[in-house]
């Protein structure tokens, strides 16, 4: 029997496929649709301390090869998502999903995480260190000193399972440096990668999204090679207790298979989920199972991280 079940920390999931934060996950209605689909779990839209309207529209556009977005973290405010997750946890203590958060300042991030620490919430939390779309706020995880000092302070009080969402890195030295920082902390997982920040798509002579004069995060087919490289680079460098959620360019069972081959324990679907809605989780699970059956792999452990190199 071919199984796509997986584990992140002490949490078990029937299926390794789930949504990526940002796509169809802003409201309880969105999250319920994922919860009742074949997805193994959901992650919420990254929540800030206060509700945010985000950037002006149009703020997302599609091209034949993917998407560009500059949403600017629109969300319902962190208590909305925490209350919902607490109600799910009360009804079913075994349910496990991911609450994505970040503050608009370091102080706000601490307020959010301290609130979660002091709450009854026992599930996974993802700290988004990589949103490229808030004007004037750089992607935190491109500043290695800030990332290290922030995590150092967080882990003085935060004792629940925590992961971080990372931007893509493009240099071997940066993989080394970031992995050295991450390995200093009791992180449960990393999520690699967020969109490739600050791309530009042009239609005739004009940009296609309004915020930041058209600059926005790139997703979809464009980013799969970068995502695979980041997943595998961190798989090679992180201590085994830090697991990897692979995100970027997944629209088929083959793409999910490649993320797992590079070292991912769970795989998130962003742009393609936007196009195809919740039916995508069943389709990609079936395609992944067919590949595994063909290769006589029974579960993800049979091939996770076992990428072959040329001699
Ligand atoms: C956004 O809301 O701008 C996207 C979130 C992200 O890329 O982390």
């Amino acid at each position: 029997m071919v199984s796509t079940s997986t584990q992140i920390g002490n949490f078990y999931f029937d299926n390794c496929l789930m949504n990526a934060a940002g796509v169809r996950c802003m409201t309880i209605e969105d999250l319920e649709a994922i919860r009742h689909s074949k997805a193994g779990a959901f992650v919420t839209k990254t929540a800030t301390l206060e509700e945010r309207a985000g950037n002006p529209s149009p703020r997302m556009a599609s091209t034949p090869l993917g998407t560009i977005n500059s949403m600017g973290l629109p969300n319902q405010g962190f208590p909305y998502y925490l209350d919902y997750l607490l109600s799910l946890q009360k009804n079913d203590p075994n349910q496990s999903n991911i609450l994505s958060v970040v503050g608009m300042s370091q102080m706000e991030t601490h307020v959010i995480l301290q609130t979660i620490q002091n709450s009854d919430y026992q599930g996974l939390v993802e700290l988004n260190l990589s949103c490229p779309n808030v004007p004037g706020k750089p992607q935190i995880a491109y500043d290695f000193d800030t990332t290290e000092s922030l995590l150092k302070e967080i882990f003085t009080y935060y004792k629940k399972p925590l992961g971080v969402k990372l931007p893509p890195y493009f240099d071997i030295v940066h993989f080394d440096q970031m992995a050295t920082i991450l390995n200093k902390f009791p992180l449960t997982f990393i999520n690699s990668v967020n969109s490739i920040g600050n791309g530009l798509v042009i239609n005739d002579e004009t940009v296609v999204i309004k915020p930041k004069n058209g600059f926005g995060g790139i997703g979809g087919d464009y980013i799969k090679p970068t995502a695979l490289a980041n997943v595998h680079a961190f798989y090679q460098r992180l201590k085994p207790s830090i697991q990897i959620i692979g995100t970027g360019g997944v629209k088929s069972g083959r793409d999910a298979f490649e993320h797992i081959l590079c070292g991912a324990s769970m795989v998130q679907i962003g742009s393609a989920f936007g196009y195809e809605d919740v039916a995508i989780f069943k389709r990609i699970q079936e395609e992944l199972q067919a590949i595994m059956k063909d290769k006589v792999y029974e579960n993800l452990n049979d091939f996770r991280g076992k990428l072959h190199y040329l001699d």
Side-chain angles (χ1 to χ4, degrees), residues 248-264:
V250 177
K251 65 176 185 188
S252 69
R254 175 67 206 184
D255 300 326
F257 178 80
E258 290 178 12
H259 269 268
I260 298 161
L261 198 62
C262 285

Side-chain angles (χ1 to χ4, degrees), residues 74-308:
N75 74 94
Q76 312 276 347
F78 141 77
Y80 173 92
Y81 303 99
L82 180 60
D83 288 351
Y84 169 58
L85 284 162
L86 283 169
S87 72
L88 292 182
Q89 184 180 282
K90 204 168 167 191
N91 291 337
D92 178 5
N94 294 323
Q95 70 80 38
S96 23
N97 293 292
I98 303 179
L99 172 57
S100 176
V101 296
V102 73
M104 297 307 291
S105 64
Q106 288 201 22
M107 182 62 82
E108 281 193 16
T109 294
H110 291 308
V111 171
I112 291 169
L113 291 176
Q114 280 164 349
T115 306
I116 298 171
Q117 176 62 34
N118 295 330
S119 76
D120 289 334
Y121 182 64
Q122 302 301 335
L124 292 165
V125 171
E126 173 178 287
L127 177 61
N128 184 352
L129 299 178
S130 50
C131 176
N133 302 328
V134 180
K137 304 266 182 204
Q139 290 165 87
I140 298 165
Y142 282 146
D143 179 338
F144 291 8
D145 291 342
T146 297
T147 298
E148 181 165 1
S149 65
L150 181 62
L151 290 175
K152 200 169 174 185
E153 197 167 346
I154 286 168
F155 282 112
T156 60
Y157 61 84
Y158 199 80
K159 307 297 175 198
K160 294 180 176 178
L162 184 70
V164 286
K165 178 123 182 221
L166 298 174
Y169 298 98
F170 303 95
D171 194 291
I172 299 296
V173 171
H174 293 161
F175 293 137
D176 292 341
Q177 290 173 339
M178 184 47 74
T180 300
I181 292 167
L182 298 170
N183 279 332
K184 292 180 183 174
F185 299 101
L187 287 161
T188 302
F189 69 94
I190 64 158
N191 186 341
S192 177
V193 296
N194 206 325
S195 57
I196 296 181
N198 295 303
L200 198 53
V201 172
I202 298 170
N203 180 21
D204 191 13
E205 298 186 4
T206 309
V207 299
V208 296
I209 57 172
K210 184 167 179 180
K212 295 171 67 177
N213 286 340
F215 285 73
I218 302 296
D221 292 359
Y222 296 112
I223 77 166
K224 192 178 84 167
T226 297
L228 294 177
N230 275 259
V231 168
H232 197 55
F234 283 115
Y235 183 76
Q236 291 170 313
R237 289 165 176 77
L238 292 179
K239 56 189 179 187
S241 57
I242 305 180
Q243 288 174 272
I244 301 171
I245 298 177
T247 305
V250 177
K251 65 176 185 188
S252 69
R254 175 67 206 184
D255 300 326
F257 178 80
E258 290 178 12
H259 269 268
I260 298 161
L261 198 62
C262 285
S265 292
M266 199 144 195
V267 177
Q268 293 189 345
I269 307 170
S271 298
F273 171 47
Y275 301 135
E276 205 171 320
D277 210 342
V278 292
I280 199 167
F281 301 113
K282 181 169 185 283
R283 175 179 67 77
I284 295 188
Q285 182 185 31
E286 287 171 357
E287 290 174 8
L288 176 59
Q289 283 170 325
I291 293 167
M292 290 170 65
K293 195 170 168 209
D294 198 44
K295 291 178 176 285
V296 202
Y297 294 145
E298 289 180 0
N299 55 56
L300 304 196
N301 290 333
D302 289 343
F303 64 102
R304 181 187 300 110
K306 295 181 181 165
L307 180 63
H308 297 191

